[in-house]
């Protein structure tokens, strides 16, 4: 749905008018109108679903057509209310999800091909980790199904009972939907890559941060160089933004704050929801994020940072037992009309601005246009 997917180059998040390149109805070969795919060999990138997340479908080129296959998540939890709530949340992000109440039902779902991923609560009464692992390993079809252990917070022992089942870390209850989505996206991306044609169009783990699902530092640096070359060739601006979590504050001191993993997932979610399809987002280092904003002037980049900051300031994080607020600092640098060609120069200026913002800028945003140096 192009009105939800396309955004203005002048202001991130603003819809663009319809384009003849994007038909109103999905063309033949699309399995569902809820997804938009721009993973053609020319473009080489996956599109986002309506809420901004990647990789909720696998790709099969077949006989020249693009066919989408939805991922199915099996939530194994003895609490019907919690599993139902989580399944409804996952469906908002394009997954097919359903709940089961026993380990026997988990095995049946895997054997019948009704699960691409299992979220397995270790509190299931009939759970035998070794037996389940052994049964799943018997056939190729079930052997590759990833299982993410779900632990109760009161017994948050990472290694307790997980054994070899932990496909991508673990999840702690009560469920934090952004964290679950990030874990599921990361695990499915690595488990169900496209295996035909030229190979590997979904298998991008080298360039992906496993915790947040964003791109990593290596990818961002490479793409920034490409965008600066385009900027110089066509005389258009490009902005580089660094974001750092400078303060974390508990809404209730007795309850404390969320885990840092959950906090980083929340920030990643906000960045995705506030960005355009062609913006380049990355977890740069630790608690630092970065964005490359093509066709974005300095004023538009500042507006983008304000939008993210306002969203975070107004958010109490979605884990009800541990509400947390975070203060963000932004450093922005912009190459006007393609003046800069060196990515290190643009990133260095943005990093210096971030340090000034962290050191005591009241607004938390420091931005400057950068000129070419001799």
């Amino acid at each position: 749905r192009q009105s939800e997917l396309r955004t203005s180059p002048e202001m991130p998040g603003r819809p663009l008018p319809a384009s003849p390149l994007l038909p109103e109805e999905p063309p033949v070969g699309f399995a569902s109108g809820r997804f938009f795919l721009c993973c053609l060999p020319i473009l080489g990138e996956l599109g986002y679903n309506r809420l901004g997340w990647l990789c909720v479908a696998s790709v099969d080129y077949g006989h020249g057509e693009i066919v989408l296959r939805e991922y199915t998540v099996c939530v194994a939890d003895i609490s019907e209310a919690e599993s139902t709530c989580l399944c409804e949340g996952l469906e908002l992000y394009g997954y097919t999800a359903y709940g089961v109440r026993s380990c026997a039902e988990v095995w049946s779902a895997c054997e019948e091909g009704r699960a691409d991923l299992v979220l397995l609560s270790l509190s299931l009464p009939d759970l035998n980790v070794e037996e389940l692992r052994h049964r799943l390993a018997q056939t190729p079809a079930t052997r590759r199904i990833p299982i993410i252990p779900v632990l109760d917070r009161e017994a948050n022992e990472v290694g307790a009972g997980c054994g070899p089942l932990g496909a991508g870390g673990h999840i702690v209850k009560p469920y934090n939907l952004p964290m679950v989505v990030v874990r599921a996206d990361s695990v499915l991306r690595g488990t169900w890559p496209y295996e035909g044609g030229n190979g590997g169009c979904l298998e991008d783990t080298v360039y992906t941060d496993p915790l947040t699902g964003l791109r990593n530092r290596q990818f961002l640096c490479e793409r920034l160089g490409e965008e600066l070359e385009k900027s110089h060739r066509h005389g258009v601006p490009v902005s580089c933004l660094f974001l750092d979590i400078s303060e974390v504050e508990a809404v209730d001191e007795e309850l404390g704050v969320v885990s840092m993993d959950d906090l980083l997932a929340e920030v990643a979610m906000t960045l995705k929801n506030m960005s355009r399809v062609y913006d380049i987002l990355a977890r740069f280092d630790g608690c630092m994020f970065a964005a490359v904003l093509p066709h974005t002037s300095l004023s538009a980049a500042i507006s983008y940072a304000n939008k993210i900051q306002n969203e975070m300031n107004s958010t109490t994080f979605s884990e009800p037992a541990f509400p947390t607020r975070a203060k963000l600092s932004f450093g922005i640098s912009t190459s006007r009309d393609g003046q800069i060609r060196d990515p290190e120069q643009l990133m260095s200026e943005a990093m210096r601005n971030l340090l000034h913002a962290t050191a005591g800028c009241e607004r938390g945003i420091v931005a400057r246009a950068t000129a070419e140096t001799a």
Side-chain angles (χ1 to χ4, degrees), residues 82 151-153 171-176 262 319-322:
E82 288 183 293
L151 312 178
D152 290 325
R153 186 171 293 280
I171 294 171
V172 178
K173 293 175 63 177
Y175 293 112
N176 179 356
D262 287 6
E319 188 170 337
F322 294 85

Side-chain angles (χ1 to χ4, degrees), residues 2 15 28 33 64 95 102 131 160 170 195 228 251 260 273 276 283 320 350 366:
Q2 55 192 0
V28 176
Y95 295 97
S102 68
E131 180 183 356
H170 66 286
E195 297 178 340
L228 286 177
V251 176
M260 185 54 67
N273 290 342
R276 303 165 297 185
R283 182 184 175 199
V366 176

Side-chain angles (χ1 to χ4, degrees), residues 130-193:
E130 287 300 322
E131 180 183 356
L132 179 61
R133 182 186 67 84
H134 177 73
R135 294 184 69 179
L136 290 175
Q138 295 304 304
T139 61
T142 59
R143 186 182 302 138
R144 67 183 304 182
I145 297 175
I147 296 181
I148 302 180
V150 178
L151 312 178
D152 290 325
R153 186 171 293 280
E154 293 75 12
N156 186 5
E157 298 290 338
V158 175
C162 295
L165 287 178
H170 66 286
I171 294 171
V172 178
K173 293 175 63 177
Y175 293 112
N176 179 356
L177 180 59
M179 196 70 230
V180 175
V181 171
V182 167
R183 284 274 190 267
D185 181 72
S186 176
V187 170
L188 289 169
R189 191 196 309 268
T191 306
W192 302 102

Side-chain angles (χ1 to χ4, degrees), residues 250-333:
V251 176
D252 188 322
E253 293 296 335
E254 294 184 1
L255 293 176
V257 299
V258 297
S259 70
M260 185 54 67
D261 285 358
D262 287 6
L263 178 57
L264 293 173
E266 290 278 3
V267 174
M269 178 79 74
T270 301
L271 281 171
K272 281 180 173 285
N273 290 342
M274 295 293 171
S275 300
R276 303 165 297 185
V277 172
Y278 51 84
D279 290 334
I280 303 158
L281 309 175
R283 182 184 175 199
F284 198 76
D285 184 23
C287 297
M288 186 183 301
F289 295 83
V292 174
L293 309 174
H295 302 275
T296 304
S297 64
L298 183 64
S299 60
I302 294 172
S303 297
Y304 171 76
N306 277 318
K307 192 165 59 171
I308 294 172
Q309 191 175 59
N310 292 337
E311 176 68 17
M312 294 297 297
N313 288 342
S314 63
T315 297
T316 296
F317 288 110
S318 57
E319 188 170 337
F322 294 85
T324 304
R325 293 192 184 96
K327 179 182 176 183
L328 307 181
S329 299
F330 297 82
I332 303 170
S333 61

Side-chain angles (χ1 to χ4, degrees), residues 233-246:
R233 190 161 59 244
H234 301 293
V236 295
V238 60
S239 294
C240 178
L241 176 147
F242 281 104
L243 179 164
D244 189 40
I245 303 174
S246 52

